[in-house]
Amino acid sequence: SELLDVSRIETNRLQIHPTGIRWVGFIEGRVSAFRVQHPTRKIGFDTATPELTVMADPDRMRQVVDNLLSNAIKFTDRGGRIEVGCGHERDKVAIRVRDTGRGIAPDRLANVFDPFVQVDRHLTVESQQGVGLGLAISRDLARKMGGDLRAESTVGEGSVFTLTLPREGGSEL
């Protein structure tokens, strides 16, 4: 499925159908699904966010947010925390997924969105390893929806991935 998405994005055949998505209901549903999938990890989630409406393709937004949550869980030790926040930057909604994981070294951070790059693959159990397309696809999808995806990280403290997407009625600000 990831390779098919890459092909569709590269050949400009990926269909995007933006609609208004209420952020709070959306993220509560996604976090709830991840809690059920990973109960033994004992990772705390904080989702205190304002109610904003994002203009995005629901399936593609779910794909990006799920990738960010999955990565945050994968690289956060048992008992860690993941914060999912949201605010607005001019006409965009900024969605931040912050974890208390191991972080990404500066020399690796520069390439984290490159296809087939897997940061710290040797530190990840084999069952959780992917092919290194998730972040590349996620950034491409964000850009197709009129936004972007960027990363910040401090080794030993964790990472913050910020997804920006158009805000419904955002041009009024």
Side-chain angles (χ1 to χ4, degrees):
S1 174
E2 285 184 334
L3 288 174
L4 186 57
D5 281 343
V6 169
S7 173
R8 286 182 180 143
I9 291 167
E10 287 179 353
T11 59
N12 215 17
R13 287 184 296 140
L14 182 74
Q15 297 293 312
I16 299 290
H17 304 285
T19 187
I21 301 169
R22 292 187 59 233
W23 172 248
V24 171
F26 173 85
I27 196 57
E28 285 175 358
R30 300 319 309 143
V31 167
S32 198
F34 275 86
R35 274 194 184 113
V36 169
Q37 291 172 18
H38 304 279
T40 61
R41 298 294 306 276
K42 305 290 185 206
I43 293 174
F45 285 90
D46 178 9
T47 58
T49 62
E51 182 58 79
L52 293 169
T53 301
V54 179
M55 289 302 296
D57 181 296
D59 293 332
R60 299 309 176 178
M61 183 167 144
R62 184 178 311 108
Q63 186 176 352
V64 173
V65 170
D66 284 2
N67 181 261
L68 297 178
L69 289 172
S70 178
N71 283 347
I73 289 169
K74 187 187 313 184
F75 295 108
T76 299
D77 291 332
R78 180 183 166 96
R81 294 206 59 77
I82 296 171
E83 266 177 50
V84 184
C86 172
H88 60 80
E89 298 175 353
R90 294 183 215 99
D91 59 344
K92 303 279 188 200
V93 172
I95 299 161
R96 289 178 192 83
V97 177
R98 177 187 315 270
D99 64 58
T100 58
R102 61 182 74 127
I104 304 166
D107 62 320
R108 308 296 314 258
L109 191 60
N111 303 102
V112 77
F113 295 109
D114 292 349
F116 306 109
V117 169
Q118 292 184 310
V119 176
D120 292 338
R121 182 179 179 96
H122 65 286
L123 297 175
T124 306
V125 294
E126 196 168 324
S127 65
Q128 290 185 341
Q129 291 177 2
V131 293
L133 290 173
L135 287 174
I137 290 170
S138 293
R139 185 175 67 178
D140 287 345
L141 289 174
R143 289 176 174 175
K144 283 268 191 200
M145 291 187 286
D148 205 357
L149 181 60
R150 59 186 186 270
E152 305 166 58
S153 191
T154 303
V155 173
E157 293 181 21
S159 302
V160 181
F161 284 83
T162 303
L163 168 65
T164 56
L165 292 169
R167 183 170 80 99
E168 185 177 67
S171 58
E172 297 166 8
L173 283 182

Coordinates of all heavy atoms in Angstrom, one line a residue, residues 78-110:
R78 N 8.4 2.4 27.4 CA 7.3 2.2 28.3 C 7.3 3.2 29.4 O 8.3 3.6 30.0 CB 7.5 0.8 28.9 CG 6.4 0.3 29.9 CD 6.8 -1.0 30.5 NE 6.0 -1.3 31.6 CZ 4.9 -2.1 31.5 NH1 4.5 -2.6 30.4 NH2 4.2 -2.3 32.6
G79 N 6.1 3.8 29.7 CA 5.9 4.8 30.7 C 6.2 6.2 30.2 O 6.0 7.1 31.0
G80 N 6.5 6.4 29.0 CA 6.7 7.7 28.4 C 5.4 8.4 28.1 O 4.4 7.9 28.5
R81 N 5.6 9.6 27.5 CA 4.4 10.4 27.2 C 4.4 10.8 25.8 O 5.4 11.1 25.2 CB 4.3 11.6 28.1 CG 4.2 11.3 29.6 CD 3.5 12.4 30.4 NE 2.2 12.8 30.0 CZ 1.1 12.1 30.2 NH1 1.1 11.0 30.8 NH2 -0.1 12.6 29.8
I82 N 3.2 11.0 25.3 CA 3.0 11.5 23.9 C 1.9 12.6 24.1 O 0.8 12.4 24.6 CB 2.5 10.4 22.9 CG1 3.6 9.4 22.8 CG2 2.1 11.1 21.6 CD1 3.2 8.2 22.0
E83 N 2.2 13.8 23.6 CA 1.3 14.9 23.6 C 0.9 15.2 22.2 O 1.7 15.3 21.3 CB 2.1 16.2 24.0 CG 2.0 16.5 25.5 CD 2.8 17.8 25.7 OE1 2.7 18.8 25.0 OE2 3.7 17.7 26.7
V84 N -0.4 15.3 22.0 CA -0.9 15.7 20.7 C -1.7 17.0 20.9 O -2.7 17.1 21.6 CB -1.9 14.6 20.1 CG1 -2.3 15.0 18.7 CG2 -1.2 13.3 20.1
G85 N -1.1 18.1 20.3 CA -1.7 19.4 20.4 C -2.0 20.0 19.1 O -1.6 19.5 18.1
C86 N -2.8 21.1 19.2 CA -3.2 21.7 18.0 C -3.4 23.2 18.2 O -3.9 23.6 19.3 CB -4.6 21.1 17.6 SG -5.5 21.8 16.3
G87 N -3.1 24.0 17.3 CA -3.3 25.5 17.4 C -3.3 26.0 16.0 O -3.2 25.3 15.0
H88 N -3.4 27.3 15.9 CA -3.5 27.8 14.5 C -2.3 28.8 14.3 O -1.8 29.5 15.2 CB -4.8 28.5 14.1 CG -5.2 29.6 15.0 ND1 -4.7 30.9 14.8 CD2 -6.1 29.7 16.0 CE1 -5.3 31.7 15.7 NE2 -6.1 31.0 16.5
E89 N -1.8 28.8 13.1 CA -0.8 29.6 12.6 C -1.3 30.3 11.3 O -1.4 29.7 10.3 CB 0.5 28.9 12.2 CG 1.1 28.1 13.4 CD 2.3 27.3 12.9 OE1 2.6 27.1 11.7 OE2 3.0 26.7 13.8
R90 N -1.8 31.6 11.4 CA -2.4 32.3 10.4 C -3.6 31.5 9.8 O -4.5 31.2 10.5 CB -1.4 32.6 9.3 CG -0.4 33.6 9.7 CD 0.5 34.0 8.6 NE 1.9 34.3 9.1 CZ 2.9 33.4 9.0 NH1 2.7 32.2 8.4 NH2 4.0 33.7 9.5
D91 N -3.5 31.0 8.6 CA -4.7 30.3 8.0 C -4.4 28.8 8.0 O -5.1 28.0 7.3 CB -4.9 30.8 6.5 CG -3.6 30.5 5.7 OD1 -2.5 30.3 6.2 OD2 -3.7 30.6 4.4
K92 N -3.5 28.3 8.8 CA -3.2 26.9 9.0 C -3.5 26.4 10.4 O -3.4 27.2 11.3 CB -1.7 26.6 8.6 CG -1.3 27.1 7.3 CD -1.6 26.1 6.2 CE -0.9 26.5 4.9 NZ -1.6 25.9 3.8
V93 N -3.8 25.1 10.5 CA -3.8 24.4 11.8 C -2.5 23.7 11.9 O -2.0 23.1 11.0 CB -5.0 23.4 11.8 CG1 -4.9 22.6 13.1 CG2 -6.3 24.1 11.7
A94 N -1.9 23.9 13.1 CA -0.6 23.2 13.4 C -0.9 22.1 14.4 O -1.3 22.4 15.5 CB 0.4 24.2 14.0
I95 N -0.7 20.9 13.9 CA -0.9 19.7 14.7 C 0.4 19.2 15.1 O 1.3 18.9 14.3 CB -1.7 18.7 13.9 CG1 -3.1 19.2 13.5 CG2 -1.8 17.4 14.7 CD1 -3.7 18.5 12.3
R96 N 0.7 19.1 16.5 CA 2.0 18.7 17.0 C 1.9 17.4 17.7 O 1.0 17.2 18.6 CB 2.5 19.8 17.9 CG 3.0 21.0 17.2 CD 3.5 22.1 18.1 NE 3.6 23.3 17.4 CZ 2.6 24.2 17.2 NH1 1.4 23.9 17.7 NH2 2.8 25.3 16.5
V97 N 2.8 16.4 17.3 CA 2.9 15.2 18.0 C 4.2 15.2 18.7 O 5.3 15.1 18.0 CB 2.7 14.0 17.1 CG1 2.9 12.6 17.8 CG2 1.3 14.0 16.4
R98 N 4.2 15.3 20.0 CA 5.5 15.4 20.8 C 5.6 14.1 21.6 O 4.7 13.7 22.3 CB 5.4 16.6 21.7 CG 6.6 16.8 22.6 CD 6.4 18.0 23.6 NE 5.8 19.2 23.0 CZ 6.6 20.2 22.5 NH1 7.9 20.1 22.5 NH2 6.0 21.2 21.9
D99 N 6.8 13.5 21.6 CA 7.0 12.3 22.4 C 8.2 12.5 23.3 O 9.0 13.4 23.1 CB 7.2 11.1 21.5 CG 8.5 11.1 20.6 OD1 9.6 11.3 21.2 OD2 8.3 11.0 19.4
T100 N 8.3 11.7 24.3 CA 9.5 11.7 25.2 C 10.4 10.5 24.9 O 11.0 10.0 25.8 CB 9.0 11.6 26.7 OG1 8.2 10.3 26.9 CG2 8.1 12.7 27.1
G101 N 10.5 10.2 23.6 CA 11.3 9.1 23.1 C 12.8 9.4 23.1 O 13.3 10.4 23.7
R102 N 13.5 8.6 22.4 CA 15.0 8.7 22.4 C 15.5 9.9 21.6 O 16.7 10.3 21.7 CB 15.6 7.4 21.9 CG 15.2 7.0 20.5 CD 15.8 5.7 20.1 NE 15.1 4.6 20.7 CZ 14.6 3.6 20.1 NH1 14.7 3.5 18.8 NH2 14.0 2.6 20.7
G103 N 14.7 10.4 20.7 CA 15.1 11.6 19.9 C 15.9 11.1 18.7 O 16.2 10.0 18.5
I104 N 16.2 12.1 17.8 CA 16.9 11.8 16.6 C 18.1 12.7 16.5 O 18.0 13.9 16.7 CB 16.0 12.1 15.4 CG1 14.7 11.3 15.5 CG2 16.7 11.8 14.1 CD1 13.6 11.8 14.5
A105 N 19.2 12.1 16.2 CA 20.5 12.9 16.1 C 20.4 13.9 15.0 O 19.7 13.7 14.0 CB 21.7 12.0 15.9
P106 N 21.0 15.1 15.1 CA 20.9 16.2 14.1 C 21.3 15.7 12.7 O 20.6 16.1 11.7 CB 21.8 17.3 14.6 CG 21.9 17.1 16.1 CD 21.7 15.6 16.3
D107 N 22.3 14.9 12.6 CA 22.7 14.5 11.3 C 21.7 13.5 10.6 O 21.7 13.4 9.4 CB 24.1 13.8 11.3 CG 24.2 12.6 12.2 OD1 23.5 12.6 13.3 OD2 24.9 11.6 11.8
R108 N 20.9 12.8 11.4 CA 19.9 11.9 10.9 C 18.6 12.7 10.7 O 17.8 12.3 9.8 CB 19.6 10.8 11.9 CG 20.8 10.0 12.4 CD 21.5 9.2 11.3 NE 20.8 8.4 10.4 CZ 20.6 7.1 10.4 NH1 21.1 6.4 11.4 NH2 19.9 6.5 9.5
L109 N 18.3 13.7 11.4 CA 17.1 14.5 11.3 C 16.9 15.1 9.9 O 15.8 15.2 9.4 CB 17.0 15.6 12.4 CG 15.7 16.3 12.6 CD1 14.6 15.4 13.0 CD2 15.9 17.4 13.7
A110 N 18.0 15.5 9.4 CA 18.0 16.2 8.0 C 17.5 15.2 7.0 O 16.9 15.7 6.0 CB 19.4 16.6 7.6

